[in-house]
Amino acid sequence: MADKAAVKQKFIDSFDPLVEDLLAVLKQYNISPEATEWFKKSLYYNGVGGKLNRGLSVIDTYQILTGKNELTDEEYKKAAVLGWGIELLQGFFLVSDDIMDASKTRRGQPCWYLVPKVGMIAINDAFMLETAIYFLLKKYFRSEPYYIDLVELFHDVTFQTELGQLLDLITAPEDEVDLSKFSLAKHSFIVIYKTAYYSFYLPVALAMYMAGVSKPEDLKQAHDVLIPLGEYFQIQDDYLDCYGDPAFIGKIGTDILDNKCSWLINTALKKANPEQRKILDENYGQKNGACEAKVKAVYNELDLENEYFKYEEDAVGRIKTLIDNVDESRGFKKDVLSAFLAKIYKRQK
């Protein structure tokens, strides 16, 4: 098996020529060197630096679908372009999200809008990260019969993610705590639309189009496993925010302080007695460590950690059954879905 660090580095190295492609577009428009340099800095600051799992998943999925251990240079290049398309989309979402949430750090460094001299120019930079995707798709896929499918897929998933963000923002604004707005049904919609589509379905669907395994029935098979898989992933995140080891995860959880509509608070609201509900109403979403401790105490009284473990085993059992029932007769492979599940089952960060 290839060394993970080497695989990731190869993918990172494939970004440089794509940046040059995008800067060449700016040169066509005779924009100033200063603006060109600004865009370049934004591309690297917001495109590289995360785990890159979404982008790498396009390449992994294409290899599984085609049964190839080694891709040709051309195949790798095209799969990497699609992978970087998702990473640019992620950059667009994160730059915007950090402004909306007034976040301070991202990936261990200041959020882009807090970088000196950037400020609200970051809003325009976010738009440019998104539109960069379509220049790359045009350059590398315009002659392919599935070109418009790629364009529509990116458009559809972007809108789905923004719908999830909208419901999240109006359900749980940081400055107005109202737990009566929360519900497990709303949480499910938010995480499916805000996370599952672009993080799980998009990488696989892109690879499926490139591999020629893209009949509607196969895309539906992928969708029907990857969306619940993405929901499970986000509920894991919610659990780790409260119960994970900060030293291992690399950050201190803030969901309670930030009034997040998380799986834990929604499960607590469902189980709480009137006295516990009163404590949650008075303390959740308050920027105060003592209030956070009171909420966590109620979580412990309700044994939410074990509630999560029960949820996890039930969810994974259902996902495994869905994978077992996948029809491989048209070229789609269960291994694509099993690989995703293996990456996240019992993860601790």
Side-chain angles (χ1 to χ4, degrees):
M1 183 177 280
D3 175 51
K4 272 187 179 178
V7 168
K8 185 175 178 181
Q9 191 56 52
K10 182 180 180 183
F11 183 60
I12 291 170
D13 291 344
S14 72
F15 191 50
D16 294 340
L18 303 186
V19 171
E20 291 308 311
D21 290 336
L22 293 167
L23 298 183
V25 175
L26 269 61
K27 283 174 189 147
Q28 283 175 20
Y29 298 141
N30 295 320
I31 198 163
S32 72
E34 178 192 17
T36 302
E37 196 55 38
W38 182 284
F39 185 41
K40 182 178 180 180
K41 185 180 176 185
S42 169
L43 285 166
Y44 280 108
Y45 197 95
N46 299 302
V48 185
K51 296 172 192 163
L52 305 178
N53 287 339
R54 294 168 182 83
L56 287 164
S57 292
V58 179
I59 299 165
D60 294 344
T61 301
Y62 182 78
Q63 287 185 279
I64 293 170
L65 290 173
T66 57
K68 296 181 177 180
N69 287 325
E70 290 293 326
L71 302 182
T72 66
D73 289 347
E74 181 63 17
E75 285 175 316
Y76 184 88
K77 173 87 172 178
K78 290 191 128 172
V81 169
L82 296 177
W84 281 113
I86 305 178
E87 295 300 332
L88 289 169
L89 187 66
Q90 162 89 331
F92 160 57
F93 290 147
L94 296 184
V95 170
S96 309
D97 200 39
D98 288 341
I99 296 170
M100 287 182 257
D101 291 348
S103 299
K104 297 291 184 281
T105 59
R106 170 71 66 182
R107 297 169 173 169
Q109 57 187 0
C111 297
W112 178 242
Y113 79 100
L114 292 177
V115 170
K117 299 185 179 177
V118 176
M120 289 303 109
I121 300 172
I123 296 171
N124 193 63
D125 293 332
F127 298 157
M128 291 183 71
L129 291 169
E130 185 200 15
T131 49
I133 298 164
Y134 299 99
F135 279 100
L136 294 175
L137 290 180
K138 185 165 69 172
K139 179 175 174 68
Y140 289 96
F141 293 94
R142 196 175 190 183
S143 62
E144 299 290 352
Y146 54 89
Y147 168 60
I148 195 63
D149 295 311
L150 301 178
V151 172
E152 289 185 347
L153 181 60
F154 268 105
H155 280 148
D156 290 348
V157 170
T158 301
F159 190 58
Q160 287 161 331
T161 308
E162 289 160 353
L163 286 175
Q165 174 74 341
L166 172 63
L167 188 61
D168 193 14
L169 289 167
I170 63 176
T171 301
E174 278 195 58
D175 57 349
E176 186 187 319
V177 181
D178 181 358
L179 298 185
S180 69
K181 288 183 175 180
F182 286 18
S183 70
L184 280 168
K186 272 187 185 174
H187 175 266
S188 180
F189 183 96
I190 289 166
V191 302
I192 285 171
Y193 281 83
K194 187 176 172 180
T195 300
Y197 273 104
Y198 93 94
S199 298
F200 287 81
Y201 178 66
L202 180 58
V204 172
L206 290 170
M208 289 172 73
Y209 280 119
M210 187 175 155
V213 185
S214 55
K215 287 193 166 62
E217 307 94 294
D218 285 317
L219 289 164
K220 185 176 188 309
Q221 287 197 111
H223 171 280
D224 290 352
V225 176
L226 291 162
I227 296 307
L229 196 58
E231 184 174 16
Y232 160 50
F233 173 84
Q234 185 56 53
I235 290 172
Q236 267 185 328
D237 247 22
D238 292 353
Y239 163 77
L240 290 169
D241 184 89
C242 183
Y243 292 103
D245 179 353
F248 199 64
I249 298 168
K251 63 178 182 179
I252 296 168
T254 60
D255 282 1
I256 294 170
L257 298 171
D258 294 342
N259 189 35
K260 292 292 183 187
C261 181
S262 83
W263 183 85
L264 291 173
I265 184 62
N266 281 293
T267 304
L269 292 171
K270 204 172 170 188
K271 291 188 71 184
N273 63 33
E275 186 183 333
Q276 291 166 326
R277 173 62 191 249
K278 186 169 185 289
I279 293 169
L280 294 174
D281 279 327
E282 289 173 353
N283 294 281
Y284 196 78
Q286 305 303 316
K287 303 288 189 187
N288 180 306
C291 293
E292 180 187 36
K294 288 177 186 175
V295 172
K296 285 188 175 181
V298 172
Y299 283 3
N300 291 334
E301 286 168 21
L302 296 171
D303 199 15
L304 288 196
E305 193 160 19
N306 274 320
E307 284 289 324
Y308 168 75
F309 293 144
K310 282 189 277 184
Y311 158 79
E312 181 173 51
E313 291 313 308
D314 179 57
V316 170
R318 281 184 280 113
I319 290 164
K320 284 181 175 174
T321 301
L322 288 169
I323 293 172
D324 288 342
N325 292 331
V326 164
D327 175 7
E328 297 185 305
S329 64
R330 287 177 300 270
F332 187 61
K333 296 183 180 176
K334 297 177 185 181
D335 287 353
V336 167
L337 306 169
S338 299
F340 266 86
L341 180 58
K343 281 178 193 172
I344 64 172
Y345 180 53
K346 295 288 184 189
R347 73 186 172 99
Q348 295 185 318
K349 63 177 180 179

